[in-house]
Amino acid sequence: MTRNATMRSQDGSATSPLLVMGIVLATLTEAIAGTALSLGRSDIMGDTYATPDEFAWLDIGYTALKLVGFVTAPWLMSRFPPRNLIITSTLVMGLACAMSAITARLDILFALRVVQGFVGGTLLVAGQTIVFLAFTRSRQPTLQALFAMGSVVAPATVAPAFQGWLIDGQSWTWIFFSVIPLALAATGMMLMADKPMPDLHRSLPLDGVGVLLIVVALCSFTYVLSQGSRWDWFEAPRILWLTVIGMASLPAFLGRQVLANGRGLFDFTLFDSGDFSFAFIVSFVAGAALFGSAYLIPTFALSVLDFTPTDADLLLLPSGAPFIVALLIAAYLIQVRRLPPFATVPFGILTIMLAMWMLSGSTRESGASDMMMAILLRGLGLGFLFLSITLIAFSNLGSHHLAAGIGLFNAGRQLGGMMGVAGLQTLIDHDLANTLTVLGTQVTAGRHAVIERLTNTTAMLTQKGMDAESAGRVATSLLGKSVSGQSLVIAFDSAFMAVALLFVVAAPLLVTIKLGISRQAKARAAAL
């Protein structure tokens, strides 16, 4: 059955808001679970007696299995009814979160994070696929904007602020407890949706070897990208070996899928769609911009501006409003005004570049009000960018390719985000070391400015009652902290500028790729 036929057969019953509301609530369970460790880190480490390296495995397990969920969800949807799959995933997410809230054992918590990651990736793919299949294409801009509010906006803005409020008022366990009512409400709404669910009518055998290869590859890459900067990359043998294992497993998986001739986990003929191929490439860049900026802004506030963890995460909350406004404006322009989806992409890119350029001028005296305009512009640009590339990617895919396309697109965005964060962490570390060296050569004992600074600081401390010898030592220490702080500011400003320059480099490449794909499509059409 073709996708158009599927939608025509269901168009009459595809008007109930319950299904969409249930799917959006299901995505919120993933948003809360996925970001649960960002603010509760210190509290959870204290209750589980975990070291930072041990605690890192909770994030690694969640992210790796979320990627596995993205790539295996299409096979699961070919074996089980899509509604049953997303309902089951939502209930399992709620149960795993409930168990996470009542355990203090690190090994059990790790196992539960693995489960949460897998079902989270599965429900995101299944939910978006159902929305595309159950509703006509003319409604997709608005529906995909609503879906993005739960899957993209919530984890980037609302969830961290909500979790900070829970931790300040209660404890980290309430973050996981809060998922339970959402999961039950989402399940109830999806069960009450008074219309038939789409059926993919395609049952594929399980490619056990293929699943093993992609699990090994994704787990290896997740560890390398999340811990590479921590261990100075290839200076650590574990990073080197896991990179080799991942680089060997991925080509083996891809080769096996090609030889499977459409009977493996993926049918790569979906790349025959030029729009999907282009959007899949863009998803890496968009993921780097989303995750990279979401990492930089709170980290800058914590490391340089001395914000509390809750206040740092609250910085991104206001950007949720322009993010949603941009999604709705783009949906209106595309759905009502018939604007091509590609038309809003340049505006989104330019707005994100402007926001990052503005943030690159931040100093140690900057406050939330100084950064707010750039943060709001970032949300606006991301809204225009994400809806457009979503519609470009999936609007013309057939029903038998849709789930695989959504899984690949989400995996690309997640991997792009991980690469972006890893690159920014490494850039900050290297720039900090280089800047400290450069500034250190300028702060020597014989320089007049240094002598004047130390003399003034010593005199001030002496006037406050400190003896001269102690005041001299403290003045020297304060000067060293000032140099370190300024070096950190310069390193973060370089990182903000790097995100802006990412689009300067990527935009011409993406235009070239788009033109090449268009020419190839025209040549194929002419040959046919």
Side-chain angles (χ1 to χ4, degrees), residues 145-282:
L146 293 174
F147 184 85
M149 292 177 193
S151 62
V152 181
V153 179
T157 59
V158 180
F162 172 68
Q163 292 163 8
W165 174 73
L166 283 178
I167 290 177
D168 288 342
Q170 302 293 331
S171 70
W172 65 270
T173 59
W174 282 92
I175 297 176
F176 288 112
F177 277 133
S178 68
V179 174
I180 301 172
L182 286 176
L184 294 176
T187 301
M189 289 181 180
M190 288 186 285
L191 287 173
M192 290 188 295
D194 57 345
K195 61 173 173 234
M197 292 295 101
D199 190 353
L200 298 183
H201 297 295
R202 189 171 181 238
S203 181
L204 296 175
L206 177 63
D207 180 12
V209 176
V211 171
L212 178 62
L213 288 172
I214 195 60
V215 167
V216 170
L218 293 176
C219 290
S220 299
F221 288 140
T222 300
Y223 185 90
V224 169
L225 291 173
S226 62
Q227 297 295 303
S229 178
R230 162 75 174 85
W231 298 104
D232 199 17
W233 295 100
F234 300 119
E235 295 298 320
R238 75 185 76 176
I239 301 295
L240 177 61
W241 280 109
L242 285 173
T243 302
V244 171
I245 292 171
M247 294 297 291
S249 302
L250 183 60
F253 168 77
L254 296 177
R256 184 174 179 84
Q257 299 310 297
V258 172
L259 294 176
N261 195 25
R263 304 295 294 176
L265 282 178
F266 284 116
D267 180 3
F268 287 101
T269 57
L270 63 89
F271 285 101
D272 291 341
S273 169
D275 288 339
F276 174 78
S277 300
F278 172 73
F280 176 68
I281 296 171
V282 176

Side-chain angles (χ1 to χ4, degrees), residues 3 17 46 59 114 128 142 149 197 250 266 325 356 437 459 472 474 498 514:
R3 181 180 170 209
D59 274 326
V114 166
Q128 193 167 21
T142 300
M149 292 177 193
M197 292 295 101
L250 183 60
F266 284 116
V325 169
M356 293 299 104
T437 301
V474 173
K514 178 64 174 175

